[in-house]
Amino acid sequence: MRTTFDFAPLWRSTIGFDHLADLVDSTMRQATEDHYPPYNIERSGEDHYRISLAVAGFGADDITVTAEQNALTIDGRKPEKAAGEYLYQGIAARPFRRVFNLADYVQVKEAAFRDGLLIIDLVREVPEAMKPRRIQIAGGASPSQIEQKAA
């Protein structure tokens, strides 16, 4: 099922969000892909996030975590072993690749392996220059009068 979105109202009142349509489109394509391994995304504070992936059967050496600009990629691959005879194999060991799109200024703080979970902590660190600041309003003088006084 394919749904199209009309972004025209958004484009009339925003600037610089043209990549949003591409992001929505890529997310819609990922929704039909494999859901392995299962994961949780939680918000642990105002600017702190945690991704937990259930990677039973994988070790720390079998997983690669790569942080790029606005993307976090997690690859898992088990080394080839001599094939044994399984009577039942319920623990998945197939390779996987999971990509998470990150907002601007979201950085990977650390990654850890605990109790069969790969836990990745993220933090949004907005530079001081990008944070909102209050602009002082000069009283009674127009901007051109202020420029003349400064000269």
Side-chain angles (χ1 to χ4, degrees), residues 26-59:
S26 69
T27 302
M28 293 297 285
R29 269 188 267 119
Q30 286 178 355
T32 61
E33 293 178 4
D34 190 12
H35 298 286
Y36 175 78
Y39 63 91
N40 292 335
I41 300 175
E42 62 184 289
R43 185 177 193 164
S44 55
E46 180 68 27
D47 291 321
H48 293 81
Y49 305 90
R50 175 172 281 174
I51 299 172
S52 303
L53 280 92
V55 288
F58 286 85

Side-chain angles (χ1 to χ4, degrees), residues 6-149:
D6 180 17
F7 288 104
L10 179 68
W11 303 144
R12 286 192 291 258
S13 61
T14 61
I15 299 170
F17 289 94
D18 36 304
H19 68 281
L20 182 63
D22 294 335
L23 181 63
V24 170
D25 188 48
S26 69
T27 302
M28 293 297 285
R29 269 188 267 119
Q30 286 178 355
T32 61
E33 293 178 4
D34 190 12
H35 298 286
Y36 175 78
Y39 63 91
N40 292 335
I41 300 175
E42 62 184 289
R43 185 177 193 164
S44 55
E46 180 68 27
D47 291 321
H48 293 81
Y49 305 90
R50 175 172 281 174
I51 299 172
S52 303
L53 280 92
V55 288
F58 286 85
D61 295 335
D62 302 330
I63 298 173
T64 304
V65 179
T66 307
E68 300 173 79
Q69 184 175 357
N70 295 57
L72 173 66
T73 305
I74 303 163
D75 289 299
R77 184 169 307 279
K78 297 279 292 174
E80 293 294 324
K81 289 184 181 179
E85 183 182 346
Y86 287 100
L87 299 178
Y88 174 78
Q89 185 176 7
I91 299 173
R94 65 183 185 263
F96 67 88
R97 178 180 182 91
R98 175 77 55 196
V99 179
F100 296 94
N101 294 309
L102 303 177
D104 291 337
Y105 311 114
V106 173
Q107 303 293 322
V108 176
K109 186 176 172 185
E110 68 177 334
F113 213 103
R114 278 184 255 140
D115 301 326
L117 295 175
L118 174 64
I119 298 171
I120 301 169
D121 288 321
L122 306 149
V123 64
R124 180 182 16 228
E125 294 176 345
V126 179
E128 279 300 316
M130 301 302 290
K131 290 183 179 177
R133 65 185 197 284
R134 187 176 181 127
I135 307 300
Q136 192 65 31
I137 301 172
S142 69
S144 60
Q145 291 174 336
I146 294 172
E147 288 177 12
Q148 290 172 358
K149 288 182 182 178

